[in-house]
Amino acid sequence: MSNATTRIRPWGARSRVAALAAVAVGATGLAGCAGGTESSAESTGDAPADGPVSIEIWGWDELGEQVVDAFNAAQDGVEATYVLQADNVAMATNFRNAFESGTDVPCLAQGFAPLTTMVVNGWAQDITDVVEPSLGNYNEGAHNAAQVNGRFFGLPSGSDGQYLIVNTATLDEYGVEIPATWDEFVEAGRELKEHDVHVTNFAGEDPTALMNLAQQAGAEWFAIDGEEWVVNFEDAPTLQAADIVQQLIDEDLVSNETYQDRPALYSYFDSGNMAMTPTQWWSLTGLQTNFSDSLGDWKATTLPQFDLANPVSPGRTTPSFVPVGCEHPEAVVAYSDWRTTPEGIEAGRNPETDAVGLPTQIPDPAPYAADIIPPGFFTDDAEAAEVIVDAQSKVIGKFELGPNYDAWFPEMQDQWGKAVAGEQTIAEALAAVQQYVEDDLDRKGIAFRDAS
Amino acid sequence: MSATAPVTRQPGTRTDEPTGRARPTGLASPPRRRLRWRTMQNLKGASLSFPFAAGFALFAVVPILMALRESVYTQKSSGLGFGESVVTFVGLDNLARAVGDGVFWSAMWRVFLYAIVVVPVTQIVSLGMALVLDAARRRIAARFRIALLLPYMVPGIVATMVWIFLYSPAVGPLGKFFGLLGLDVDFFSGDMVWVSIGNLVLWGAIGFNMLILYGALQSVPHEIFEAARLDGASEVRIAWSIKVPFVRASLVLTTLLSIIGTLQIFAEPMLFRSVTPETITKDFTPTMMIYNQAFQVGDINYATALSVVLAVVVGVASAVFYRFTNRTES
């Protein structure tokens, strides 16, 4: 048996077919991606003897090139090139292919999956020593999000804190108060149901509603204990969140509009038949441009809480990372640090909306909050900006999703879909996911302990 | 030498005379030349199939061999999963697991039931349209032929997106249309999902099938129709008793392609998963399960084993159908 056993880089074999297929089919596309960079075999992070360090940055941010141009103009030490990817999925495919082929691997990759996945797959390099001197530029949540098992494998990245938007016209019409706790949220749902209004929407394909609630309640689905994972999808906070969700489903207080049918979703949100929804700062432009009747009726408010004494907002992120093979992580950190400066933030101003994105990674994003409020959407823009900043200050940056997130998330989608349709309970769904995770980890040979 | 030289120059004798037969050993050189000439001709002929053979080898044979190779290995991590994986030879373990995987076979059964309905319906509708086109004037037929082929040119994913918007209970026109008739039809409901998918698959497939059948109909000798008409046969009778039997071989071909395509259905249910997630799970069809194993779970070894099983099933289904139709014909 030992003869047939070879040691390989994680994911090496499993991606070999895809990589070869890409060589045959997509070679042109890849060549195009890396075009113009006379790079080494391992990475694009070259350091000519007499000139700036070159790094290649891959991402699907349409403003990326404009930001990189400003960065190049602002300093002389690093020359960055931005390679625009079509989207998250294209980024994942192209990165995997480049990494497997060992050529033209970027020096900075926008996070297309949870950080632990990047580490398990052997893609992200440990940049702890390089990033530690810069930590003062980032907030605590950003620090947490960038670590796996106490080491920095990602660049400090801000998580988008959730808050609630409520349709004041609907609430006023039926005399319903804005809920401060999740129990009050359910109660508001009961009152609204009498008028054929749903309190919120749970898309049947998207279990992140449950994940957010669980995270907010303090759940810990995955934790590292020594040399093993501790897995528990059924801890007390998760079951507390599940209880809220179950009540909303059982009493038919929520709608189940899908994200796939966007026009229908927006039309429904705009109709006044759905009273409120948790959201995050980047959703606002999409909502504002697709709403008509309800524009000006929405009010931003703090997300309902489980514990009013310790308010928190859920929020996760997929940090950008420095791939294994890049020889100049310090140049990447320099770029990341520059993006926290007023100049770096300004470089991301969108020429179409004339707004900069909310720099959620910096210690105080408050000065930029007013910039992200789309005109005519809220009843009170200043109040909305305050709520968003407050949500950012309370965001839980870290929610460990374990070493096999890609495997279990589709299973959670299946189980969530059945629970939302009333075919099983949320508790049963969670138990099924727990079992699935254990089976998958077992097959993969990853050590774990069932704490459920 | 001089005796055989004229022989080789005589037309007709070069290819008709079997090489090497009744050939004196002392006259070996000219036959060799003749052999060479014939070999050259054969090679020239064979060279025309080279692009196909190369493509087939590169995109079918090589991937199949690679898949077979992948299916006999497995890889395992250890500890927290952060270290290197170990690839181990496991023989037929993955294939055995695939053969005994209840989830995979329920997906197969689901698609089989769907295929039993959708494959014949596709053929019947395509044949009906081909017959109508064949009966129409040529100029009119040409216009409709292109129009009917257009859906086939739309990529499956795009077609599915288009139909999802058409089906949308909130913004789509179809729900409103049925509403006018007093019917409350929800194309997104779990009960309707196969109907919704089948309808859009039919929409995309009939153009291609119709074109093949229409082409076959064009090659039916027209004097047979005239003879039938003289005998007093109606157009319907001509279609049923003459045209349909004549396109039988083409029908077998389109049905085979339809079986193969249907058992591998992927894009449509993948997108419909969002609208009826409680019905369409990640393992709803065999190819969806294979995709999930390969690109979500990350177990390429097991995914290839499942692919091998699916290929065998598709092959067997096609062979059974082919055998059955051939036997009936004989």
Side-chain angles (χ1 to χ4, degrees):
Chain A
M1 200 60 132
S2 60
N3 285 348
T5 302
T6 50
R7 294 193 75 79
I8 60 152
R9 193 171 52 222
W11 279 69
R14 88 178 57 150
S15 303
R16 215 174 298 143
V17 175
L20 276 167
V23 169
V25 180
T28 322
L30 281 176
C33 285
T37 312
E38 292 296 322
S39 62
S40 72
E42 286 209 321
S43 100
T44 54
D46 290 347
D50 53 348
V53 171
S54 296
I55 58 168
E56 200 168 271
I57 300 169
W58 284 19
W60 59 93
D61 178 2
E62 289 179 3
L63 302 175
E65 195 170 339
Q66 133 190 349
V67 173
V68 163
D69 287 346
F71 171 68
N72 290 337
Q75 45 77 51
D76 297 324
V78 182
E79 180 73 24
T81 313
Y82 194 81
V83 179
L84 181 66
Q85 305 290 323
D87 56 16
N88 183 318
V89 177
M91 171 81 197
T93 310
N94 290 340
F95 177 81
R96 190 171 284 192
N97 289 336
F99 194 84
E100 287 299 322
S101 70
T103 54
D104 297 327
V105 178
C107 243
L108 173 57
Q110 188 174 347
F112 51 85
L115 189 60
T116 308
T117 303
M118 308 301 184
V119 180
V120 169
N121 291 352
W123 294 338
Q125 64 170 281
D126 186 341
I127 54 169
T128 308
D129 297 340
V130 189
V131 84
E132 266 180 342
S134 302
L135 289 181
N137 294 325
Y138 307 92
N139 61 39
E140 190 76 20
H143 297 174
N144 295 338
Q147 296 176 63
V148 173
N149 205 16
R151 303 289 295 176
F152 281 87
F153 283 91
L155 289 163
S157 304
S159 302
D160 305 321
Q162 287 215 320
Y163 53 93
L164 193 71
I165 55 170
V166 300
N167 188 328
T168 53
T170 301
L171 291 197
D172 291 348
E173 187 177 350
Y174 304 118
V176 177
E177 296 288 317
I178 295 174
T181 66
W182 284 110
D183 286 330
E184 289 177 18
F185 187 86
V186 176
E187 192 51 48
R190 290 177 183 131
E191 291 171 32
L192 288 163
K193 193 194 173 189
E194 292 171 13
H195 308 284
D196 290 330
V197 173
H198 287 127
V199 67
T200 195
N201 182 64
F202 284 163
E205 77 274 21
D206 183 19
T208 55
L210 175 63
M211 289 170 73
N212 288 332
L213 271 169
Q215 184 191 19
Q216 191 187 13
E220 193 170 40
W221 289 351
F222 289 89
I224 292 174
D225 182 14
E227 273 307 297
E228 67 179 4
W229 288 94
V230 181
V231 185
N232 193 353
F233 280 75
E234 298 170 274
D235 60 4
T238 307
L239 294 180
Q240 190 182 6
D243 180 50
I244 295 293
V245 174
Q246 196 65 57
Q247 290 181 61
L248 293 169
I249 294 170
D250 286 349
E251 298 181 38
D252 195 19
L253 308 181
V254 289
S255 55
N256 303 128
E257 297 292 325
T258 170
Y259 289 113
Q260 192 73 41
D261 190 358
R262 284 282 166 158
L265 184 77
Y266 285 134
S267 150
Y268 177 68
F269 280 17
D270 191 35
S271 68
N273 291 324
M274 187 204 70
M276 49 191 99
T277 183
T279 192
Q280 50 283 311
W281 71 267
W282 49 264
S283 298
L284 293 175
T285 305
L287 297 175
Q288 192 257 353
T289 50
N290 285 283
F291 285 8
S292 55
D293 295 347
S294 67
L295 285 179
D297 292 340
W298 294 89
K299 176 184 169 74
T301 179
T302 306
L303 200 66
Q305 298 292 320
F306 287 100
D307 179 6
L308 280 173
N310 298 298
V312 287
S313 49
R316 299 174 294 280
T317 186
T318 53
S320 299
F321 65 99
V322 181
V324 169
C326 171
E327 292 166 7
H328 299 286
E330 74 290 343
V332 177
V333 171
Y335 170 75
S336 178
D337 288 348
W338 176 80
R339 291 223 58 188
T340 65
T341 64
E343 189 188 1
I345 294 162
E346 181 61 30
R349 186 173 290 279
N350 187 324
E352 281 183 27
T353 62
D354 197 33
V356 298
L358 191 64
T360 53
Q361 79 276 37
I362 67 172
D364 180 20
Y368 303 95
D371 218 37
I372 57 159
I373 305 293
F377 184 79
F378 285 114
T379 51
D380 184 339
D381 288 354
E383 177 196 56
E386 276 178 34
V387 167
I388 292 170
V389 170
D390 184 55
Q392 282 308 136
S393 72
K394 295 184 171 68
V395 71
I396 315 164
K398 186 72 179 174
F399 189 52
E400 182 55 62
L401 299 173
N404 60 341
Y405 168 78
D406 289 350
W408 65 256
F409 188 74
E411 174 68 13
M412 177 166 259
Q413 283 182 302
D414 285 356
Q415 299 296 339
W416 166 256
K418 289 182 194 302
V420 165
E423 293 175 11
Q424 63 175 358
T425 65
I426 293 288
E428 286 167 345
L430 288 164
V433 175
Q434 171 84 22
Q435 188 59 49
Y436 186 90
V437 169
E438 290 180 16
D439 291 345
D440 187 61
L441 291 178
D442 210 25
R443 265 196 295 271
K444 287 174 174 163
I446 296 173
F448 69 94
R449 190 174 77 239
D450 172 12
S452 65
Chain B
M1 193 83 139
S2 59
T4 53
V7 175
T8 54
R9 282 198 293 271
Q10 280 173 12
T13 53
R14 298 183 288 214
T15 48
D16 294 343
E17 181 186 312
T19 49
R21 192 166 58 142
R23 199 174 290 138
T25 44
L27 301 174
S29 177
R32 262 219 302 275
R33 201 184 305 146
R34 197 160 53 197
L35 191 72
R36 237 180 272 134
W37 186 88
R38 291 186 59 179
T39 311
M40 283 300 290
Q41 285 297 91
N42 288 342
L43 284 175
K44 275 181 190 168
S47 70
L48 293 176
S49 66
F50 176 75
F52 167 78
F56 184 73
L58 188 62
F59 297 115
V61 177
V62 171
I64 287 171
L65 292 176
M66 286 171 70
L68 286 171
R69 185 181 170 279
E70 288 290 336
S71 71
V72 294
Y73 287 92
T74 193
Q75 62 176 331
K76 283 216 170 199
S77 297
S78 57
L80 294 170
F82 295 156
E84 293 176 334
S85 297
V86 176
V87 175
T88 314
F89 179 79
V90 291
L92 298 178
D93 283 8
N94 284 326
L95 277 170
R97 184 181 152 207
V99 169
D101 194 328
V103 177
F104 184 66
W105 289 107
S106 31
M108 195 79 87
W109 177 245
R110 199 175 286 130
V111 173
F112 175 73
L113 292 179
Y114 163 73
I116 278 186
V117 177
V118 86
V119 171
V121 169
T122 308
Q123 301 315 309
I124 291 166
V125 175
S126 304
L127 180 63
M129 287 188 152
L131 287 169
V132 170
L133 273 190
D134 188 53
R137 284 193 193 150
R138 258 173 203 279
R139 199 186 298 167
I140 298 171
R143 282 184 202 145
F144 275 93
R145 209 171 53 202
I146 292 173
L148 288 169
L149 195 62
L150 276 176
Y152 176 67
M153 300 176 192
V154 180
I157 287 279
V158 178
T160 311
M161 291 298 294
V162 169
W163 277 95
I164 281 179
F165 288 129
L166 289 174
Y167 287 146
S168 168
V171 296
L174 292 176
K176 292 186 182 72
F177 172 75
F178 283 104
L180 289 176
L181 304 175
L183 297 169
D184 182 18
V185 181
D186 181 3
F187 290 96
F188 287 176
S189 72
D191 297 335
M192 279 290 286
V193 70
W194 272 128
V195 177
S196 305
I197 290 176
N199 175 58
L200 89 89
V201 166
L202 188 70
W203 175 80
I206 50 173
F208 174 73
N209 290 321
M210 179 272 303
L211 202 68
I212 291 180
L213 297 172
Y214 179 69
L217 282 170
Q218 295 298 297
S219 64
V220 182
H222 277 243
E223 51 269 28
I224 301 178
F225 302 149
E226 282 162 27
R229 283 194 192 103
L230 285 175
D231 287 343
S234 67
E235 289 301 316
V236 174
R237 183 71 200 273
I238 291 173
W240 183 249
S241 298
I242 300 174
K243 292 183 178 179
V244 172
F246 257 98
V247 298
R248 188 190 175 88
S250 300
L251 258 180
V252 170
L253 171 74
T254 53
T255 308
L256 266 181
L257 293 176
S258 205
I259 290 172
I260 294 167
T262 304
L263 290 180
Q264 298 183 53
I265 188 168
F266 177 74
E268 293 83 2
M270 198 70 180
L271 283 189
F272 266 81
R273 190 172 175 217
S274 297
V275 298
T276 47
E278 71 277 16
T279 310
I280 302 188
T281 58
K282 65 184 187 307
D283 305 317
F284 192 62
T285 72
T287 42
M288 282 177 75
M289 183 173 178
I290 291 166
Y291 171 82
N292 184 62
Q293 284 293 328
F295 300 107
Q296 299 291 146
V297 176
D299 192 345
I300 196 85
N301 307 102
Y302 186 52
T304 49
L306 289 171
S307 306
V308 170
V309 174
L310 175 63
V312 170
V313 170
V314 172
V316 167
S318 306
V320 165
F321 173 76
Y322 192 69
R323 190 70 191 266
F324 176 73
T325 48
N326 260 3
R327 190 173 293 169
T328 315
E329 199 167 21
S330 64

